[in-house]
Amino acid sequence: MRRFYLGILNIFRSGTAYSAIAVAALFFTSLPALAEHTCPENNDYLQRKQVQALIAELVSQGQDEARLREVLGSAQCQPQILKSIARPAERTHTWATYQKIFLQESRVQKGIEFAHTHAKTLTRAEQTYGVPREIILAIIGVETRYGDHMGNYRVVDALATLGYDYPPRGSFFRKQLKALFELEHHAHIDANTITGSYAGAMGYGQFIPTSYQAYAVDFDNDGITDLVNNPVDAIGSVANYFSEHNWQPGLPVAARARLHGTGYVALAKKGYKPSFTLAQANSAGVTALSCNDDRLISEYCFDLPASTRVALLDLTGTDGAEFWLATDNFYVITRYNHSRLYAMAVLQLSRQLAAALEDNQ
């Protein structure tokens, strides 16, 4: 382990600015993987004091103790979940490899079929929340391939495993477990049988329980908010999620950037949350590709006021380093999944879908 740390320090001392940023990102995002988390031999969650406290709290709120004990008594710690959360794709891939997972022609074609089936719902979601249909479609496409892959883990297993046997984020997932039981009463979810991702996300848009509570909407007004079996509610809920996180209608998401000099290095270290203006970026030698520049043709361009807040992204793509200027709408996408790779996949899939929908009109 000491040799590993010395290796990191040597890279910082002798490497380029770009490699230092890349290694730092790899090192710090991999910290949870340094510690192994395993399922205990005694897998009876009902014997845990924290589980007993959760049952008591939910019973005090009017829930049925026998039902709670039935569901939690059946929960099983899943070793594969502990392995998966320690090495999520967003931490183990570069943009070059990550994009291959999601930017596929088959996913686009599936999205076109979904869009045609739910055209009226997508139009209503656009009009109600101001979120483009291609963004809604891209989220559902990236998350579950339009409902084909919603996850095979029992959600109660996932949340119990991570809540009680994964200390780095135990508090967060115990909160999700509590919310799952609350959803039984309000969203007609069977906490004992519903399946989802290894992190306990459910339905077409993969909402964790607290997001389900906060942002899910009954978009077809049938009295039930169902994101698992009802794509209409899922479409409306994804759009509502973006609206509630301050999506700005009409604001471009990101443009490719041109660099002059080395002023970009400091900007790239600031992360993907917009924290400086286009004017400041220009002063540092970073400019966005203009949609009016005939010399450089790219669909990823914009011409925005100098006061627009942006962030500089440096990604390792299939052809090497890529630089992007991202707006607040890019940051909104990262509120769905806190990864710049994820947001870039959503952006580029959305562009592919928009182009395909236009061709199919």
Side-chain angles (χ1 to χ4, degrees):
M1 180 61 72
R2 183 173 181 271
R3 184 178 299 174
F4 172 77
Y5 284 114
L6 289 174
I8 293 292
L9 290 174
N10 287 335
I11 290 174
F12 271 93
R13 289 168 180 159
S14 61
T16 64
Y18 179 79
S19 64
I21 295 170
V23 171
L26 175 62
F27 173 60
F28 288 112
T29 58
S30 298
L31 280 176
L34 296 178
E36 290 294 331
H37 299 283
T38 58
C39 292
E41 291 185 10
N42 179 6
N43 201 31
D44 184 358
Y45 283 112
L46 289 179
Q47 301 302 314
R48 311 276 189 101
K49 290 184 178 180
Q50 287 178 312
V51 174
Q52 294 167 3
L54 173 63
I55 292 173
E57 179 182 0
L58 290 171
V59 169
S60 72
Q61 296 173 0
Q63 296 203 32
D64 181 74
E65 182 175 357
R67 171 61 175 172
L68 294 169
R69 294 183 67 84
E70 173 194 359
V71 177
L72 287 168
S74 72
Q76 296 290 314
C77 182
Q78 300 290 340
Q80 187 57 47
I81 288 176
L82 295 174
K83 292 179 182 178
S84 296
I85 198 165
R87 297 172 179 83
E90 289 79 12
R91 292 181 181 176
T92 58
H93 285 274
T94 65
W95 173 234
T97 56
Y98 189 86
Q99 63 182 281
K100 294 178 181 178
I101 302 172
F102 300 107
L103 303 182
Q104 308 155 327
E105 183 59 28
S106 60
R107 198 181 301 263
V108 173
Q109 291 305 313
K110 187 74 176 179
I112 298 304
E113 295 172 11
F114 188 86
H116 287 159
T117 300
H118 302 289
K120 292 182 179 179
T121 300
L122 287 162
T123 297
R124 185 158 60 91
E126 283 183 318
Q127 294 171 345
T128 303
Y129 298 107
V131 181
R133 70 181 58 209
E134 60 266 23
I135 291 291
I136 301 170
L137 287 168
I139 288 288
I140 297 174
V142 166
E143 291 292 343
T144 63
R145 207 177 180 93
Y146 305 99
D148 282 353
H149 303 289
M150 295 191 197
N152 297 318
Y153 290 106
R154 278 203 320 161
V155 172
V156 68
D157 288 342
L159 297 181
T161 298
L162 297 174
Y164 300 109
D165 294 306
Y166 187 67
R169 300 199 66 194
S171 176
F172 173 83
F173 285 106
R174 289 193 295 273
K175 182 178 180 181
Q176 301 307 316
L177 184 59
K178 178 185 175 183
L180 174 66
F181 286 108
E182 293 168 348
L183 284 171
E184 268 208 319
H185 292 268
H186 305 298
H188 298 266
I189 284 175
D190 185 341
N192 202 34
T193 61
I194 189 168
T195 58
S197 74
Y198 71 79
M202 302 171 284
Y204 282 87
Q206 294 290 277
F207 277 35
I208 57 174
T210 53
S211 291
Y212 205 124
Q213 290 178 315
Y215 306 111
V217 295
D218 176 14
F219 206 49
D220 63 359
N221 299 307
D222 67 351
I224 301 173
T225 305
D226 183 359
L227 307 187
V228 179
N229 305 297
N230 189 339
V232 174
D233 285 356
I235 289 168
S237 298
V238 169
N240 181 53
Y241 189 102
F242 273 69
S243 177
E244 289 292 321
H245 284 83
N246 301 313
W247 178 269
Q248 299 178 43
L251 179 67
V253 175
R256 294 295 293 266
R258 291 181 293 186
L259 309 179
H260 302 281
T262 59
Y264 75 92
V265 174
L267 298 184
K269 291 179 180 179
K270 293 180 178 292
Y272 55 69
K273 183 175 183 179
S275 59
F276 50 88
T277 65
L278 276 174
Q280 291 171 319
N282 294 343
S283 297
V286 182
T287 57
L289 292 189
S290 170
C291 299
N292 298 317
D293 189 343
D294 294 332
R295 297 170 300 169
L296 294 170
I297 300 175
S298 173
E299 61 180 317
Y300 299 105
C301 60
F302 57 56
D303 297 278
L304 296 171
S307 59
T308 304
R309 292 191 310 170
V310 291
L312 179 63
L313 312 177
D314 56 329
L315 305 177
T316 303
T318 54
D319 295 322
E322 296 180 9
F323 294 90
W324 298 73
L325 283 169
T327 70
D328 281 319
N329 275 353
F330 184 92
Y331 184 71
V332 172
I333 299 175
T334 68
R335 298 309 83 200
Y336 210 96
N337 180 313
H338 295 189
S339 163
R340 59 183 189 165
L341 299 184
Y342 176 90
M344 188 58 69
V346 169
L347 168 61
Q348 295 200 15
L349 180 59
S350 75
R351 289 292 183 85
Q352 293 177 357
L353 288 163
L357 285 170
E358 186 174 348
D359 291 341
N360 280 272
Q361 286 183 350

